Amino acid sequence: MDSGSGIIEVLTADHRKFQRLFDRIRSSAPGSDERKSHVEQLSIRLVRHSVAERAYLYPAVRRYLPDGGTWADRLLSEQRSIEKLLNSLEAQEVKSEEFGDLLLSVVARVTEHVIEEEELLFPRLQAVCPADVLRELGRKARETEASAPTRPRPGAPGSAVMTKATAQVWGRWDRLRDLVKRRGRE
């Protein structure tokens, strides 16, 4: 991704990564360690993506779209729902029936969220938000994703200020825990 990419391009690139992970999950054997690793990678990427959206996308949506508050609140609610599913999914044994059911729910919810953003929200935001602002938000989103938490926290603050304040602490802690537990490693 080029360093001049705006937030819409950054988040859309994340969406493509989710789709590739969905494909890897589908091609891995049910109940396998490989599938578990792919699901952990998906969870890590989704959480980092969510933090960037809460910190930078939703404030821009609130500021530049006439109905931005409604959009941001609804998308934040969807994110929390996905993070609750991720928490439940990671608590299950990969071989359990519940794991499969929760995985299907995560894939469906994330896919709906992606379609809504790409087809409805992003074009509207791009039409009204200055290009230099979108580029700056893209830079900040990339930086945030690099140090963001990796574990779902559905009860995490939804405000941009609190997200930015807590992300640095939780991000370091999560990466240390992931390293020790080898979470998301192939």
Side-chain angles (χ1 to χ4, degrees), residues 44-115:
I44 289 166
R45 288 187 185 271
L46 283 169
V47 170
R48 287 180 166 184
H49 178 84
S50 295
V51 169
E53 286 187 340
R54 284 194 305 268
Y56 299 105
L57 176 66
Y58 299 159
V61 167
R62 288 180 194 283
R63 179 175 178 196
Y64 290 100
L65 295 181
D67 54 347
T70 302
W71 270 98
D73 291 343
R74 189 169 37 71
L75 292 169
L76 181 59
S77 176
E78 288 174 11
Q79 273 187 353
R80 286 198 169 123
S81 174
I82 291 167
E83 288 197 21
K84 284 179 186 176
L85 286 170
L86 289 171
N87 268 343
S88 298
L89 179 63
E90 289 197 27
Q92 296 297 320
E93 289 295 321
V94 70
K95 295 179 181 182
S96 72
E97 185 177 322
E98 293 85 7
F99 186 92
D101 292 343
L102 288 166
L103 180 56
L104 286 172
S105 293
V106 168
V107 170
R109 293 268 178 93
V110 170
T111 301
E112 289 169 10
H113 187 82
V114 164
I115 290 169

Side-chain angles (χ1 to χ4, degrees), residues 139-160:
R139 183 190 64 75
K140 289 178 179 180
R142 276 190 304 282
E143 289 174 2
T144 296
E145 284 186 354
S147 61
T150 62
R151 294 179 181 257
R153 289 181 175 82
S159 78

Side-chain angles (χ1 to χ4, degrees), residues 12 17 19 24-25 53 60 62 67 83 93 95 105 125 134 139 158 161-162 173 177 184 186:
T12 300
K17 291 173 188 171
Q19 293 302 321
R24 285 191 211 133
I25 290 167
E53 286 187 340
R62 288 180 194 283
D67 54 347
E83 288 197 21
E93 289 295 321
K95 295 179 181 182
S105 293
L125 183 62
L134 292 173
R139 183 190 64 75
V161 172
M162 288 304 294
W173 175 244
R177 285 176 60 201
E186 295 196 62

Side-chain angles (χ1 to χ4, degrees), residues 1-17:
M1 168 113 2
D2 121 12
S3 61
S5 298
I7 193 164
I8 292 170
E9 292 83 7
V10 169
L11 298 177
T12 300
D14 285 351
H15 295 166
R16 298 296 84 74
K17 291 173 188 171

